[in-house]
């Protein structure tokens, strides 16, 4: 009789193999619908067996899960296959709307095609090569990085400041916390339109009127390619400070008071307490905040689309808008849009990995 | 005046500059919304008059009336669509989330970790990556330009599954075992014991879904073309493009329709909403 552990391991290996076979079968079925395929004896043979491969994979997965489940549940609760039934709807939705779309976007990025015929012809890496030479893409990447750098650093800076400033348990602080959080709940489009109105360049524009009181000359916020991206950054920073400040306040609340009391007994100054106690103690949350903000900043779309539509000129074009315009806009540029989407996903992955490598060891876990 | 009162007064005075600055900062965050409301109740001539008035000199319903009169846009249609999409999404999410969270919280089964990893993956992957394929799938099924592509892609609420699983896990084992001794069925256990005990978590998740679904802009923009199926967030551009030029009082009146429901919910549940949004399961 085999031990429970070895059965589980065997079943896991079988399930992985089965899933891979299913994936291969599905890919072959997709490929077989392509018109221009190289005529090769081996390829023809594999293609002929595509359904067999798919069914074999499904059978192997099913059998492995069956065996594995009996091994797992052996001596514990005998719920049989009831839990699979419970998670089935969720899994179907996640596969259909998350997992499959990711894989498919990678797949489509190797083809030239349009919305009507996404995989018209296989072009290998040509879509990626084309992107590297496309000035519209380069500009959108540069703009997105510009936006991300300033958006992330300004939000982190101001959120930290606000968190320290509004930390104490006072009525005024509670009220201020509630107030600065408000923009986070409001639709980005709504905020974008409010700020468009506030930043209006005509004499009745509110922001320029207020700045005028302080003697600042009118700024052509959304009308000039020099300031348009800053206008978008200001709007988004304004919208997000409150949320991240509250996350950091929640983190600071969990720091034991004794640590501060000990530091005060040691005559540690306020700044010293902040840098030596507060900052290290909230570093896990700060770290996660930084990752979430960075990933999010590369997806910027709503605010740009509602405030400037990428203009003036192409001064506020960003990657997400490039994908949107190329995937559905031009004829036969769907593949390039997909390649840009894969590129976007890769940037986010690489940056997350970089944060982990560079910062994770500085994060202090209690 | 005793020493205590004197100390308090002195403290208040010492704090005055800081508190004034705090109020000024708060004003920066709230004033844009006041400005929206204020503009919505100005006649067009006053909205674009100089000097700027910070309170409507002539209080007017011109903007709101012209939005509601459906002269250029059919507001009621947009509003209906928003309501159907939002509540449809919440309902669908509940049906999918409750059994899944129950399974993840209470059962051991082979492949549980992989399945849960898929839930976590969904938390990380942005719509900007997935929508191209979803668009093609919907096009295949002739579902583009309907309400479906604005509801179905959000069916599996990963954050909700995650949160509700934590909630279910905290329910003591004994309660469920005693129910099983009373030969309660699984459905009864979930619906009559676990769901009522996790009321507050569920309400939190619903508020969260309400806000994100109501505010959704990207998916309707990509998946739909016609006014018949578009939600309120799509209306602003239509108002902006009116042939009479940029009527800011009308745009702000339309904006009011999007903002007020969320603001209203926030006023009554600010504590819970703040808790819901700042909970991220870190640590």
């Amino acid at each position: 009789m085999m031990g429970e552990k070895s059965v589980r391991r065997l079943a896991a290996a079988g399930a992985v193999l089965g899933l891979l076979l299913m994936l291969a079968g599905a890919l072959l079925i997709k490929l077989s619908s392509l018109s221009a395929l190289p005529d090769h004896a081996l390829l023809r043979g594999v293609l002929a067996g595509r359904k067999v491969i798919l069914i074999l994979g499904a059978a192997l997965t099913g059998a492995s899960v069956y065996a594995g489940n009996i091994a797992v549940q052996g001596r514990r609760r005998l719920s049989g296959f009831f839990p699979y039934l419970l998670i089935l709807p969720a899994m179907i939705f996640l596969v259909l709307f998350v997992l499959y779309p990711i894989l498919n976007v990678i797949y489509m990025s190797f083809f030239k095609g349009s919305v009507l015929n996404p995989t018209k012809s296989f072009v290998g890496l040509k879509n990626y090569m084309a992107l590297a030479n496309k000035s519209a893409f380069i500009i959108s990447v540069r703009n997105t990085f510009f936006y991300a750098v300033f958006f992330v650093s300004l939000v982190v800076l101001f959120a930290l400041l606000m968190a320290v400033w509004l930390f104490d348990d006072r009525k005024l602080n509670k009220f201020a916390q509630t107030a600065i959080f408000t923009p986070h709940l409001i639709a980005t489009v709504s905020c974008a339109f409010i700020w468009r109105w506030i930043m209006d360049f005509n004499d009745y524009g509110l922001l320029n009127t207020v700045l005028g009181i302080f003697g600042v000359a009118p700024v052509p916020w959304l009308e000039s390619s020099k300031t348009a991206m800053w206008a978008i950054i200001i709007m988004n920073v304004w919208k997000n400070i409150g949320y991240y400040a509250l996350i950091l306040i929640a983190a600071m609340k969990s720091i034991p008071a004794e640590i501060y009391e000990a530091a005060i007994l040691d005559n540690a100054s306020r700044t010293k307490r902040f840098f030596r106690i507060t900052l290290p103690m909230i570093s896990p949350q700060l770290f996660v905040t930084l990752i979430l903000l960075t990933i999010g900043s590369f997806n910027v779309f709503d605010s740009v689309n509602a405030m400037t539509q990428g203009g003036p000129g192409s001064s506020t074009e960003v990657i997400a808008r490039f994908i949107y315009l190329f995937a559905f806009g031009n004829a036969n540029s769907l593949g390039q849009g997909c390649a840009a989407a894969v590129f976007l996903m890769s940037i986010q992955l690489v940056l997350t990995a970089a944060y982990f490598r560079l910062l994770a060891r500085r994060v202090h876990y209690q | 005046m005793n020493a205590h009162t004197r100390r308090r007064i002195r403290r208040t005075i010492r704090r005055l500059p800081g508190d004034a600055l705090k109020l000024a900062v708060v004003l920066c965050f709230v004033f844009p919304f006041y400005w929206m409301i204020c503009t919505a109740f100005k006649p067009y001539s006053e909205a674009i008059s100089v000097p700027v008035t910070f309170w409507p000199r002539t209080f007017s319903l011109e903007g709101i009336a012209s939005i509601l009169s459906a002269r250029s846009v059919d507001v009621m249609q947009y509003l209906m669509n928003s309501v159907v999409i939002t509540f449809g999404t919440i309902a669908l999410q509940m049906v999918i989330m409750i059994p899944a969270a129950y399974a993840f919280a209470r059962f051991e089964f082979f492949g549980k970790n992989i399945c849960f990893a898929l839930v976590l993956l969904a938390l990380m992957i942005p719509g900007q990556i997935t929508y191209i394929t979803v668009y093609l799938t919907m096009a295949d099924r002739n579902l583009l330009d309907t309400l479906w592509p604005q509801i179905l892609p959000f069916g599996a609420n990963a954050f909700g599954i995650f949160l509700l699983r934590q909630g279910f896990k905290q329910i003591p084992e004994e309660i469920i075992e005693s129910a099983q001794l009373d030969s309660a069925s699984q459905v009864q256990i979930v619906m009559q014991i676990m769901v009522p005990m996790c009321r507050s978590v569920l309400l939190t998740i619903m508020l969260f879904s309400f806000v994100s679904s109501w505010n959704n802009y990207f998916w309707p923009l990509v998946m739909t073309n016609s006014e018949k199926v578009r939600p309120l967030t799509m209306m602003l551009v239509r108002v902006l493009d009116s042939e009479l030029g940029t009527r800011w009082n009308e745009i702000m009146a339309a904006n009011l329709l999007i903002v007020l429901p969320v603001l209203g919910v926030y006023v009554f549940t600010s504590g819970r909403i703040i808790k819901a949004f700042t909970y991220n399961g870190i640590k």
Side-chain angles (χ1 to χ4, degrees):
Chain A
M1 197 59 194
M2 269 198 289
E4 185 201 301
K5 211 165 187 181
S6 52
V7 174
R8 274 173 74 169
R9 252 188 228 144
L10 204 65
V16 169
L17 191 67
L19 285 173
L20 284 178
L21 275 179
M22 276 167 75
L23 197 67
L27 194 67
L28 285 172
I29 287 173
K30 264 195 146 179
L31 279 175
S32 67
S33 64
L34 297 180
S35 46
L37 269 181
D39 197 42
H40 193 280
L42 187 67
L43 188 66
R44 238 180 304 143
V46 176
L47 274 177
R50 58 187 187 265
K51 278 192 184 143
V52 180
I53 294 176
L54 187 74
I55 293 168
L56 216 66
L60 185 57
T61 314
S64 307
V65 170
Y66 186 82
N69 197 44
I70 289 174
V72 168
Q73 295 187 337
R75 264 161 277 126
R76 268 170 268 175
R77 204 194 319 268
L78 286 168
S79 46
F81 294 90
F82 183 60
Y84 293 108
L85 204 67
L86 291 176
I87 62 164
L88 191 67
M91 289 302 124
I92 290 175
F93 272 81
L94 288 176
V95 168
L96 217 56
F97 295 115
V98 181
L99 191 61
Y100 167 66
I102 299 172
L103 299 175
N104 193 47
V105 111
I106 298 172
Y107 175 79
M108 286 193 301
S109 74
F110 300 119
F111 290 86
K112 191 183 174 84
S114 65
V115 171
L116 293 173
N117 186 1
T119 49
K120 206 152 91 191
S121 54
F122 182 78
V123 294
L125 290 171
K126 277 203 190 112
N127 284 330
Y128 292 91
M129 250 100 92
L131 284 184
N133 294 319
K134 203 168 207 112
S135 62
F137 182 69
I138 311 267
I139 288 171
S140 73
V141 172
R142 215 170 35 207
N143 288 339
T144 311
F145 268 94
F146 182 87
Y147 169 83
V149 167
F150 287 102
F151 169 74
V152 173
S153 43
L154 286 175
V155 170
V156 169
L157 185 72
F158 281 114
L160 257 178
L161 272 176
M162 287 291 193
V164 174
W165 202 29
L166 303 178
F167 177 72
D168 293 328
D169 261 325
R170 286 176 59 197
K171 266 205 185 115
L172 181 66
N173 288 347
K174 271 267 165 317
F175 169 69
Q177 286 175 23
T178 315
I180 67 169
F181 182 70
T182 318
H184 186 75
L185 292 172
I186 305 302
T188 310
V189 230
S190 299
C191 295
F193 271 85
I194 294 175
W195 277 91
R196 258 176 97 156
W197 169 223
I198 288 175
M199 287 171 165
D200 199 292
F201 188 41
N202 290 302
D203 289 342
Y204 46 80
L206 176 69
L207 187 56
N208 281 337
T209 306
V210 172
L211 288 176
I213 297 172
F214 298 101
V216 180
V219 181
W221 292 105
L222 295 162
E223 269 77 12
S224 153
S225 55
K226 287 205 183 75
T227 47
M229 190 52 102
W230 282 107
I232 291 169
I233 292 173
I234 290 172
M235 197 286 280
N236 279 309
V237 168
W238 170 82
K239 190 168 169 7
N240 283 290
I241 287 175
Y243 172 63
Y244 290 101
L246 285 182
I247 285 195
L248 295 179
I249 287 175
M252 283 158 61
K253 285 253 155 74
S254 65
I255 303 174
E258 300 88 56
I259 302 182
Y260 285 111
E261 280 156 19
I264 292 170
L265 281 180
D266 285 344
N267 275 328
S269 67
R270 256 165 168 259
T271 14
K272 206 163 186 180
R273 269 181 279 157
F274 175 75
F275 283 106
R276 293 288 169 80
I277 300 173
T278 313
L279 217 45
M281 292 295 274
I282 63 168
S283 56
Q285 286 88 346
L286 210 53
F287 183 60
V288 174
T289 299
L290 204 57
I291 290 179
L292 289 180
L293 266 173
T294 310
I295 292 180
S297 67
F298 278 89
N299 294 329
V300 63
F301 178 91
D302 291 11
S303 51
V304 176
N305 210 49
M307 280 175 95
T308 63
Q309 302 258 308
S314 54
S315 58
T316 54
E317 285 294 0
V318 288
I319 301 176
R321 251 182 73 84
F322 179 91
I323 299 172
Y324 169 67
L325 294 175
F326 273 76
F328 299 140
N330 297 31
N332 287 329
S333 60
L334 178 66
Q336 279 183 31
C338 292
V342 175
F343 178 80
L344 174 64
M345 194 161 54
S346 320
I347 292 182
Q348 292 170 329
L349 261 175
V350 168
L351 283 175
T352 310
Y355 276 140
F356 269 98
R357 287 223 44 175
L358 296 174
L359 293 175
R361 60 198 164 81
R362 293 172 154 233
V363 173
H364 169 91
Y365 288 99
Q366 267 182 296
Chain B
M1 216 193 298
N2 61 24
H4 182 67
T5 344
R6 215 174 304 153
R7 205 159 7 145
R8 273 191 59 179
I9 290 172
R10 214 176 299 149
R11 198 182 63 181
T12 314
I13 291 173
R14 193 176 30 133
R15 274 175 172 177
L16 210 57
D19 286 355
L21 192 61
K22 239 174 231 181
L23 281 175
V25 169
V26 165
L27 205 64
C28 292
F29 284 87
V30 183
F31 197 79
F33 296 112
Y34 167 73
W35 193 236
M36 167 188 71
I37 299 168
C38 179
T39 309
F41 288 107
K42 283 175 182 176
Y44 180 60
S45 55
E46 191 186 335
I48 58 162
S49 68
V50 182
V52 171
T53 51
F54 290 93
W55 179 255
R57 210 177 325 125
T58 30
F59 185 85
S60 140
L61 293 174
E62 180 191 303
I64 290 174
S66 79
I67 285 295
L68 290 179
S69 69
R71 194 198 58 219
S72 54
V73 290
D74 189 355
V75 179
M76 281 308 144
Q77 186 67 53
Y78 281 106
L79 184 65
M80 263 310 281
N81 294 336
S82 270
V83 169
V84 172
I85 291 169
T86 303
F87 288 97
T89 306
I90 292 177
L92 180 66
Q93 285 184 353
M94 287 298 146
V95 171
I96 291 174
M97 182 197 315
I98 292 172
Y102 180 57
F104 282 125
R106 288 283 150 185
F107 294 110
E108 285 303 325
F109 53 95
F110 180 73
K112 183 175 165 180
N113 290 340
I114 289 284
C115 293
F116 199 64
L118 189 58
V119 175
L120 296 182
L121 180 75
L123 277 176
M124 308 278 178
I125 298 295
Q128 266 81 352
I129 309 291
T130 58
Y131 77 95
I132 303 175
T133 307
V134 175
Y135 178 91
L136 296 173
T137 314
M138 294 293 170
D140 265 353
R141 301 272 171 279
N142 272 326
L143 288 175
L144 284 181
D145 214 21
T146 65
L147 294 175
W148 292 113
Q150 306 175 64
I151 297 175
L152 290 178
F154 306 97
N157 178 351
F159 179 73
I161 294 175
F162 188 77
L163 216 60
L164 191 59
R165 168 179 159 269
Q166 310 280 89
F168 281 168
K169 271 191 159 175
Q170 275 158 15
I171 296 174
E173 193 80 16
E174 294 80 46
I175 295 181
I176 293 152
E177 270 162 15
S178 69
Q180 272 165 342
L181 283 181
D182 290 341
S183 65
S185 70
Q186 296 277 7
V187 178
Q188 278 175 324
I189 292 177
V190 174
M191 296 316 289
Q192 288 173 12
I193 299 173
M194 302 191 82
V195 167
M197 285 186 83
C198 288
R199 253 195 324 256
S200 115
V201 180
L202 276 168
L203 195 65
T204 298
I205 296 169
M206 278 192 222
L207 283 173
F208 211 95
S209 303
F210 167 73
V211 169
S212 57
S213 188
W214 185 265
N215 290 345
N216 201 350
Y217 168 77
F218 183 67
W219 288 78
L221 176 75
V222 176
M223 300 288 167
T224 63
N225 283 315
S226 58
E227 209 166 284
K228 271 210 295 275
V229 294
R230 289 195 146 178
L232 280 171
T233 43
M234 291 281 103
M235 188 175 67
L236 292 175
V237 183
R238 285 278 288 109
V239 181
L240 183 73
D241 289 341
S242 96
E243 57 278 21
L244 293 164
T246 315
R247 314 273 294 185
W248 281 108
N249 60 331
E250 289 177 23
I251 296 171
M252 290 302 129
N255 214 354
L256 218 52
L257 270 179
I258 308 176
V259 174
L260 277 187
V262 178
L263 271 189
V265 170
Y266 184 49
V267 166
F268 288 108
T269 58
S270 65
R272 186 188 288 277
I273 286 195
I274 286 179
K275 229 193 235 158
F277 273 74
T278 51
Y279 175 88
N280 42 23
I282 311 163
K283 260 191 134 175

